[in-house]
Every structure is written in C-alpha cells, then in structure tokens.
Amino acid sequence: MKRFDPLLPIIGVVGLIVIWSFAVWGQVVDPVLLPSPTKTFWALWKGMNGGALGFDFLKTVQRTAISILIAAAIALPLGIVLGSSERLYRSVEFVIDFFRSTPASAMFPLFLVLFGVGDKTKISVAAFGAMLVILFNVAYGVMNARKTRLLAAKVMGASRLRVLTDVMLLESLPQTFIGLRNGVSLALVIIVVAEMFIGSTDGLGHRVFEAQQLFEMPDMYAAIFAAGALGYGFNLLFLLVERRFVHWSGK
Amino acid sequence: MLETPAGPPGGTPAPERAHVTIRGLSKRFNNVVIYDKFDFDIPRGTLISVFGPNGCGKSTLINMIAGLIPVDEGEILFDGKKLSEIKFGYVFQNYREALFPWLRAIDNIEYPLKVMQVPNVERRARSEKLIANLGVKIDLKRYPYEMSGGQQQLVSIMRALIVEPEILFLDEPFSALDYEMTLFMREQLQRVFQETGTTTVLVSHDLEEAVYLADRVLLLSRHPALVADYVRYDDARPRTDATLSEPEFIRVKAHCLDVFQREVRKG
C-alpha cells in the first residue's frame, strides 16, 4: 500500500469537495451563500483565463513581490550587521520586537498620510511588516551561528570578514529562509487587506470585496481560492529555492 | 602540592628537544583557578595524551595552547615563536558542528588553504597528496551530512593536516563515535602520526585510548591542574589489538589508573 502514499494529500482535497457537494445538494446552507463546487471552479477558470480575476491576481502578485523585494533588500544586510554584534542587536531588540508585534494594519493611516492613496501605501506597509519579520530571523540566524563552526574558521586563520562571509552568512541561511517565508505570508495578508479598502480598484482583495458587494458568490469564492493558491505558491517557491540553495538545512 | 618527577616509572628519559614551552600559565573561570603558574614542555615529534579527572582542564589546556581561549597570564611558545607565526591543526570533538555542511568534504579539507590564499591548482594537488598518503578511500565529493560520523571526523582530521601543521591538537576526537568507529579512527590517527611525525596533543577521556596512542601520557590533577604524572610508553608502532594485552601496556595503563584514582579521591 506504501506506493499510494504520495496520493495521501489528495484525500483531504477530495473529502472537502465531497462534503461541500453534499452541503449544496442537501441545501444545508443557503444556496445563494454557498454555490456548488462546479460553479465555483467554473468561475475560477473563467476568471483566470482572460477574466478580471486573472488581472487582479497578477496585480496582487506584483505588489507582494515588490514589497518582499524591498523588505529583503533592507532586512538582509541590516540583519547581518545587527546579528554579527550581539550587543548591537540587544540594543535595538526591543524596538524590533515592538513593531514586529504591532499589527501592520494599524500602520495604514500613518502610511496613507505619508504616501497617499495608492500602490505606494499598500506596498510600503507590507514591506514594513515583512521587513521586521525577515530582519529578526536573519539577525537570529547570524547570532546563532554554531560557536564551534566559528571557532573552527578562526583556528584555520580566517579573518573576521572571512568568518562573516564564509561562515556566518551561510549559517544564517536556513533561518533567513524561515524569515522570507513568514515575511511573504505577512506581506500577502497586508496587500490583500489593503486592496479591499483604501481606494483600491484592482487586486485580489478588491476582487473578493467587489464580488461580495455584488453578491456574485461563485466569483467571490473563486477569488478566495486564487488568493489561497497564491499564498501557497509563494511558500512553495521559497521552499524550492531553499531546498536548492540551502541543501544542508535541517541536516 | 605533589609534583612527581616527570619521568616514567623506571628508566631515565632521553633528553628531548622541547617543541612547545609553557611557562607560568594561569587561567581562572569565575574565580575558580584552573591553572596557576603552570609550566610544561611538549617534546617535538611525540604524541602526548592528556588525561585527568573531569573538569580538571584537559581541554582548557589545549584550547589555550591553540589560542581558542585566551590565557590570563603566562607564555606559550613554539620553538620560541608565537602561535600566529606557526601552522597548526585542531580537531574538535563535535565534527558535526566543526565541518562546513555547505561545502563538499573535499572543499572542507581544502578550506584552510583557501584561507591562506593558496591557488586552486595547488590546493587540489596538496589534497590529492594527503589522500594518497593516508590511503583514504571514501568518496570526498559528498557533503558531510551524507557521511558517517567516523568519515566526518576523518575529514576533520584531514582538514587539520592539509596545512602540514607543525603541531596537531585533538580534543576528544573520537568520543562522539561508536566503538567500532573509534577503533578504526585510532588506527587512522596512528597512521597519520607514523606518516607525518607531527607533534600531536590528544585530549582523551578513555584511558585505554590515551595510553595506546601515546608516547607520553600527561596525567593532570584536579584544578588547579598540576602534572600528577608524566608517563612514558615506548612500545613500537604500529601498535595493534595485541598491544592491548601486552604486559608493558597493562602495566602503564594500571599505573596511570592508580595516579588517576588518587587524584579523583583528592577531590
């Protein structure tokens, strides 16, 4: 039976669709609120193939990607610098932890004032939130570099700079990827929320919200699934990149 | 405190030229005096095992000699030179954390040469020579995490040897290995020592291993560490399993155990 093991994850998916179908067929829920799986997937298919959903999907991808790039560009070098000096990190740790714990959505009004209504605000709030998550993980990755490994490099005569580039940086990579994955999840959450409200005309958040306003339930579910697929896809992408470049992670 | 004469139980030692001279070494951790004005000479081309009660400062001694931890006071010279002027190798107990998992075994071995900015071609030539000298047959294209513990520690030892060190330090190198692998690695280390004649300092927590591999066993007292005894073991190399049951080996080991027990009881 072991050879069927790779198919195990499908059971959950099939189960969900079966339950969903029964709920619709048995009219457990108001049919207006819960369209059938076929209707929903048809809406998803139509929307993604030349429909508005596809356009909104790409918009959200674009915003999330830009925000994560900005976040990484700031957090990676800064995290390395902070992590390579424990005393430096301790001195800013509270500030980082405080803002990391602050719901990024609470920052919207402030960023609206700074950047106005538009992409700049959405992207910068998402970048801000993701940046702190990545920063924290990179710094910890660098700080928690195995002492023995650093000593080993040192006894082999490696300079401080060499220890940083040859050992600390690579040591921090597994933790850095954890930061990137968490960061991209957070960025997507913030982008989608931002697209729902503040003067948005496109994006997945806008699509979900608009479909709900117009009571086009299949479209709304389709947009939710598209957002789910996007989040899952981002996570998977980072996992694959990690597995390729950080082959020693967890070993 | 007791300071037995540095000599074997019976027989006079031939004069040996000191390779490492330790003078007036003092070290304390949180007000516990580990070393207090400790003097010692390590003769050239010998393998010295360091053995003593737990926490007496065996590892601390080689870590100070190898510059991993600073000394509070005192001077350690290598043929009159400072540590920074010589080439040395150090093998950690924890090979898993001492090797670089992002580098293939062969690149781990060559890494010290890279630090020394030796050109690529020469690096390869020197590692090939080392592999041939040691008769290593394992696949070094693999990553450390793809290898057994013994293979990883062998890679660590090769990484320490690639610079052709004047002195080699090993801090309980086999204590994380299973018995079968430990026996194999003892032979590897013996072979390395026979091939290269490098002055070697081995910290061991296994008395049998300490005596079996050593020319001299340095027995330390409880801290502040003093030389409890400095025992000579001259049996010819290569030593084999048969060595373990020879009267001289048994006698030296029994003597070391006596000294050790005496020191333990003092604590």
Side-chain angles (χ1 to χ4, degrees):
Chain A
M1 286 309 279
K2 274 261 188 283
R3 65 204 169 96
F4 293 113
D5 281 3
L7 300 177
L8 285 177
I10 295 174
I11 293 175
V13 178
V14 172
L16 182 70
I17 292 173
V18 167
I19 294 168
W20 180 4
S21 303
F22 271 106
V24 172
W25 175 70
Q27 302 207 338
V28 180
V29 188
D30 186 341
V32 181
L33 296 182
L34 187 68
S36 71
T38 19
K39 266 189 195 156
T40 303
F41 286 117
W42 178 240
L44 182 62
W45 176 257
K46 246 187 354 187
M48 292 300 284
N49 282 290
L53 182 58
F55 174 77
D56 287 321
F57 185 85
L58 287 179
K59 270 290 181 192
T60 301
V61 169
Q62 191 188 26
R63 288 181 184 125
T64 311
I66 293 172
S67 59
I68 200 76
L69 282 176
I70 294 171
I74 298 170
L76 294 180
L78 198 59
I80 290 160
V81 171
L82 291 182
S84 57
S85 160
E86 185 144 357
R87 297 189 61 211
L88 184 59
Y89 185 77
R90 294 295 167 220
S91 59
V92 292
E93 185 178 27
F94 177 75
V95 179
I96 294 173
D97 274 355
F98 183 83
F99 283 105
R100 205 165 57 85
S101 316
T102 308
S105 45
M107 307 295 280
F108 276 130
L110 172 64
F111 278 75
L112 274 170
V113 174
L114 292 174
F115 296 110
V117 179
D119 271 4
K120 266 192 197 161
T121 296
K122 298 186 190 75
I123 289 169
S124 50
V125 176
F128 175 79
M131 193 266 286
L132 290 167
V133 172
I134 300 170
L135 179 66
F136 158 84
N137 278 287
V138 174
Y140 263 87
V142 174
M143 262 191 292
N144 292 339
R146 312 284 160 87
K147 294 286 173 284
T148 310
R149 219 160 262 157
L150 300 177
L151 274 178
K154 198 184 143 209
V155 292
M156 290 187 278
S159 63
R160 277 197 63 164
L161 182 67
R162 204 174 242 294
V163 172
L164 181 70
T165 56
D166 284 6
V167 186
M168 281 188 177
L169 276 190
L170 290 146
E171 274 280 280
S172 70
L173 278 183
Q175 188 77 35
T176 298
F177 268 92
I178 292 174
L180 285 171
R181 286 211 308 275
N182 290 339
V184 80
S185 301
L186 181 63
L188 183 61
V189 168
I190 296 169
I191 293 286
V192 168
V193 169
E195 286 168 347
M196 284 185 184
F197 302 112
I198 39 182
S200 296
T201 51
D202 50 27
L204 280 176
H206 172 75
R207 175 71 23 222
V208 174
F209 192 62
E210 195 181 65
Q212 184 250 354
Q213 292 290 296
L214 300 173
F215 237 68
E216 288 166 354
M217 285 300 155
D219 281 352
M220 191 190 81
Y221 282 96
I224 291 171
F225 283 137
L230 181 55
Y232 191 85
F234 269 126
N235 205 21
L236 193 64
L237 177 72
F238 279 103
L239 268 180
L240 290 176
V241 173
E242 179 180 359
R243 217 168 281 169
R244 173 78 182 73
F245 292 103
V246 196
H247 53 83
W248 66 91
S249 183
K251 284 174 181 160
Chain B
M1 279 293 285
L2 157 137
E3 179 96 22
T4 45
T12 13
E16 283 160 320
R17 202 153 65 84
H19 186 178
V20 186
T21 49
I22 301 166
R23 292 292 174 269
L25 182 70
S26 295
K27 181 74 189 175
R28 46 176 66 217
F29 285 123
N30 307 323
N31 294 324
V32 179
V33 179
I34 309 291
Y35 285 94
D36 185 29
K37 307 232 181 319
F38 184 81
D39 294 335
F40 193 70
D41 284 355
I42 298 172
R44 174 173 293 281
T46 53
L47 196 158
I48 289 203
S49 295
V50 184
F51 191 76
N54 262 340
C56 74
K58 300 184 290 264
S59 296
T60 307
L61 181 64
I62 71 161
N63 287 345
M64 283 192 292
I65 303 174
L68 267 86
I69 51 178
V71 305
D72 290 348
E73 264 174 69
E75 189 180 51
I76 301 166
L77 293 174
F78 306 79
D79 268 337
K81 288 183 285 187
K82 289 202 189 99
L83 181 73
S84 55
E85 299 171 90
I86 65 151
K87 286 185 287 186
F88 68 98
Y90 189 106
V91 177
F92 292 84
Q93 176 186 356
N94 192 340
Y95 48 82
R96 213 180 286 281
E97 291 199 351
L99 289 173
F100 299 150
W102 46 85
L103 296 181
R104 293 177 192 280
I106 187 72
D107 296 320
N108 265 289
I109 293 168
E110 291 175 10
Y111 182 78
L113 299 178
K114 194 178 155 202
V115 172
M116 291 160 67
Q117 293 173 336
V118 174
N120 219 335
V121 184
E122 199 189 324
R123 292 211 293 259
R124 199 49 33 124
R126 281 174 70 172
S127 62
E128 272 166 17
K129 193 175 134 214
L130 180 68
I131 293 163
N133 282 348
L134 299 182
V136 172
K137 295 198 175 58
I138 56 175
D139 177 13
L140 296 170
K141 287 271 190 297
R142 284 177 299 163
Y143 288 98
Y145 55 79
E146 297 170 317
M147 307 176 117
S148 73
Q151 290 174 336
Q152 289 182 50
Q153 194 58 301
L154 183 58
V155 169
S156 296
I157 293 174
M158 291 171 77
R159 181 174 75 172
L161 290 171
I162 190 86
V163 296
E164 293 172 359
E166 292 171 38
I167 181 161
L168 178 64
F169 302 99
L170 302 106
D171 184 10
E172 302 199 7
F174 311 140
S175 55
L177 303 176
D178 60 41
Y179 192 62
E180 186 187 340
M181 203 35 101
T182 302
L183 292 182
F184 172 72
M185 290 303 293
R186 281 182 196 169
E187 295 322 310
Q188 293 280 327
L189 181 61
Q190 177 165 245
R191 177 166 179 170
V192 165
F193 181 68
Q194 277 191 284
E195 292 283 334
T196 62
T198 310
T199 308
T200 303
V201 186
L202 167 77
V203 170
S204 179
H205 67 178
D206 176 342
L207 185 57
E208 182 182 272
E209 172 178 296
V211 176
Y212 176 79
L213 287 170
D215 297 311
R216 301 290 204 90
V217 182
L218 169 60
L219 291 156
L220 293 175
S221 68
R222 277 194 187 278
H223 61 75
L226 294 169
V227 178
D229 204 347
Y230 187 39
V231 182
R232 199 181 183 104
Y233 178 56
D234 280 326
D235 195 15
R237 295 178 195 274
R239 296 165 187 170
T240 61
D241 290 349
T243 307
L244 299 178
S245 41
E246 275 169 20
E248 177 64 4
F249 177 83
I250 293 168
R251 190 187 66 78
V252 172
K253 192 181 153 194
H255 173 75
C256 290
L257 187 59
D258 274 350
V259 175
F260 174 75
Q261 295 284 31
R262 194 180 72 207
E263 291 305 324
V264 168
R265 273 192 294 270
K266 275 188 197 163

